[in-house]
Amino acid sequence: MRIEYLDKAKYEYFELEYDYITSEHYKVTVSDDSDEMGVRFEREKYDSPRREHNIDTLYQDYWQDAEAYAAYDDDGSVLGYVEFAFSEWNNTLQMTQLLVLPSSRGKGVGKALFEFVKGVALERDYRVILLEAQNYNTPAIDFYRAMGFKFCGANLYFYSNTDVEDDEVMLQMAYLVE
C-alpha cells in the first residue's frame, strides 16, 4: 500500500461517497436546570439497523491549509482517503475526512491512513489530532477509540436546532500526539 498526496487543483470538491449500517448509537440525554448541567451519552441498540448514505467533498473552502491523500493498492486501485487541516493558533490538526472504501474495510487501511496522519502531526509538532463523528456512527467511533482517540466534547446544535431529537449529535474526539 502507498499513500500519495492529492493535488488541490485537481481534487478540490472531489466527492467522497460512503455508506454504512449501524445497529447502535449513543443516546443523548441533556440536563440543564438550576442545579445541574450536563450531557450523558449512553450506548444502546436501535430497534432496527440504521443505514447511512452520505456524500462529502475534499478541499472545502472552510478548511484552511488542508491536505488530502489517497491510499493505493499495488495495482493502483484506491483503498481510501484522508484529509486534514491545521489550526496554528492552538497547534492542532483537524482530521476532516477518513474514508476507507467498503471493499477495503477491515484490512488495515484505516489504521495505515491514521498512522500517516499521526506521523505528519509528530513531524510538524502538533499537540493533538481532532475529529468529529456523529453519535450514531458507532463503527467509526469504535475504530477511533481503538486508535487511541478519547471523547472530548459535543455540540448539540451543530447540524440543526434539533440535533438531539434527530439523533444526530456531533461528538468531538482527540488524540494526544506524543
Side-chain angles (χ1 to χ4, degrees), residues 45-108:
K45 287 195 173 291
Y46 283 122
D47 292 335
S48 59
R50 178 176 180 157
R51 295 182 174 277
E52 287 296 318
H53 174 81
N54 293 292
I55 298 175
D56 209 343
T57 60
L58 295 175
Y59 289 119
Q60 295 180 25
D61 290 339
Y62 48 83
W63 296 119
Q64 298 294 316
D65 300 320
E67 294 180 18
Y69 295 81
Y72 295 93
D73 203 342
D74 293 336
D75 68 2
S77 300
V78 175
L79 305 171
Y81 300 92
V82 67
E83 179 188 58
F84 46 85
F86 307 101
S87 294
E88 297 296 334
W89 73 272
N90 64 353
N91 199 31
T92 62
L93 184 150
Q94 177 77 32
M95 196 163 63
T96 60
Q97 300 286 349
L98 179 64
L99 171 65
V100 176
L101 299 180
S103 61
S104 301
R105 291 180 185 158
K107 298 178 181 176

Side-chain angles (χ1 to χ4, degrees), residues 11 18 41 73 94 104-105 113 128 144:
Y11 286 91
Y18 59 97
F41 298 91
D73 203 342
Q94 177 77 32
S104 301
R105 291 180 185 158
L113 286 168
V128 67
Y144 296 135

Side-chain angles (χ1 to χ4, degrees), residues 52-176:
E52 287 296 318
H53 174 81
N54 293 292
I55 298 175
D56 209 343
T57 60
L58 295 175
Y59 289 119
Q60 295 180 25
D61 290 339
Y62 48 83
W63 296 119
Q64 298 294 316
D65 300 320
E67 294 180 18
Y69 295 81
Y72 295 93
D73 203 342
D74 293 336
D75 68 2
S77 300
V78 175
L79 305 171
Y81 300 92
V82 67
E83 179 188 58
F84 46 85
F86 307 101
S87 294
E88 297 296 334
W89 73 272
N90 64 353
N91 199 31
T92 62
L93 184 150
Q94 177 77 32
M95 196 163 63
T96 60
Q97 300 286 349
L98 179 64
L99 171 65
V100 176
L101 299 180
S103 61
S104 301
R105 291 180 185 158
K107 298 178 181 176
V109 175
K111 182 176 181 179
L113 286 168
F114 171 65
E115 290 295 329
F116 175 79
V117 173
K118 189 167 70 169
V120 169
L122 279 165
E123 177 183 299
R124 299 181 191 179
D125 203 29
Y126 284 91
R127 65 181 182 82
V128 67
I129 300 169
L130 299 172
L131 62 83
E132 68 182 58
Q134 291 83 10
N135 64 303
Y136 57 80
N137 193 348
T138 54
I141 293 167
D142 292 345
F143 169 77
Y144 296 135
R145 292 180 83 184
M147 294 297 103
F149 280 85
K150 304 288 185 203
F151 171 79
C152 67
N155 187 330
L156 305 177
Y157 304 101
F158 191 72
Y159 306 107
S160 74
N161 289 349
T162 58
D163 288 354
V164 173
E165 296 82 5
D166 296 341
D167 191 34
E168 187 169 8
V169 172
M170 184 273 271
L171 305 181
Q172 191 165 48
M173 301 181 79
Y175 179 89
L176 304 179

